[in-house]
Amino acid sequence: MISRIIPIFFIFFLIYIDSSAQGGERSEFSPAFNIYPGLIIRNYKNTAKSNMAIIGSAHLAWQTNGKDAWHKFYNYPKIGVECAYTNFGNNKELGHGFGAIPVLQLKSRDIKKNWSIKLGMGVAYLTTPFDPLSNPNNLYFGGHFANMTIANITWGKLIGQKKYSFFYG
């Protein structure tokens, strides 16, 4: 029982390090590079096995500057795109994934609490979809294109001189 709960815990609570351009003023462009470890849970006995999946992404965001009324109302959110590469842990049967997701990142008004929520929905290209003859065990991906969604809530801690952040969420 506990061996099934631990992987699920890590799916919903991922750790990543955000190396973004931060400072005292609002930067117009702020890139971040993220690593999300995860796990694919087998839902049938004959599905492809995977040890550990890893998503690496480049988050290219632009800070809103207050020109529109909604910028201030939502505490100057960041808008951008997340470009992702996924290694599913089984290159032969599951392959790799490449995705692009437009995102909106909202942050807390209180600087001391330093939390944020990032939401986005885009498209992923998968290299090895299901094929009844050549890849019958890949029951996860039916075609080359699929939905890729980001929904994460994070809490952060600044490290060093406000150049790096460590986020958990």
Side-chain angles (χ1 to χ4, degrees):
M1 176 70 175
I2 195 76
S3 64
R4 292 193 185 263
I5 293 173
I6 290 173
I8 292 171
F9 177 79
F10 282 110
I11 288 173
F12 292 108
F13 295 97
L14 301 174
I15 298 172
Y16 67 96
I17 294 178
D18 179 8
S19 171
S20 60
Q22 297 178 0
E25 297 182 17
R26 298 188 198 287
S27 174
E28 191 172 313
F29 176 69
S30 60
F33 304 96
N34 308 309
I35 297 173
Y36 302 96
L39 182 65
I40 296 176
I41 299 173
R42 294 178 68 196
N43 52 357
Y44 297 103
K45 287 183 181 181
N46 59 340
T47 58
K49 293 181 181 179
S50 172
N51 295 328
M52 181 177 190
I54 295 179
I55 300 175
S57 71
H59 177 70
L60 309 173
W62 289 265
Q63 178 72 55
T64 55
N65 55 16
K67 288 182 180 177
D68 295 327
W70 70 272
H71 294 175
K72 187 174 181 182
F73 182 78
Y74 289 107
N75 195 27
Y76 306 97
K78 290 182 181 180
I79 55 174
V81 65
E82 186 112 5
C83 302
Y85 163 75
T86 306
N87 182 332
F88 295 107
N90 181 341
N91 297 339
K92 182 181 176 188
E93 293 178 310
L94 299 177
H96 305 276
F98 303 91
I101 309 115
V103 294
L104 175 68
Q105 186 173 0
L106 304 168
K107 59 184 179 201
S108 64
R109 292 185 186 274
D110 185 357
I111 296 171
K112 293 179 183 176
K113 293 188 179 173
N114 199 15
W115 65 266
S116 71
I117 181 169
K118 183 167 40 172
L119 303 168
M121 185 177 286
V123 65
Y125 176 78
L126 306 162
T127 60
T128 315
F130 170 80
D131 183 272
L133 299 174
S134 65
N135 197 10
N137 293 332
N138 184 353
L139 300 179
Y140 301 110
F141 313 125
H144 281 291
F145 293 96
N147 171 42
M148 188 169 197
T149 301
I150 288 179
N152 79 21
I153 298 173
T154 58
W155 176 81
K157 180 73 176 161
L158 294 175
I159 300 171
Q161 298 177 358
K162 299 185 180 184
K163 291 183 181 178
Y164 300 97
S165 298
F166 179 77
F167 285 94
Y168 180 80

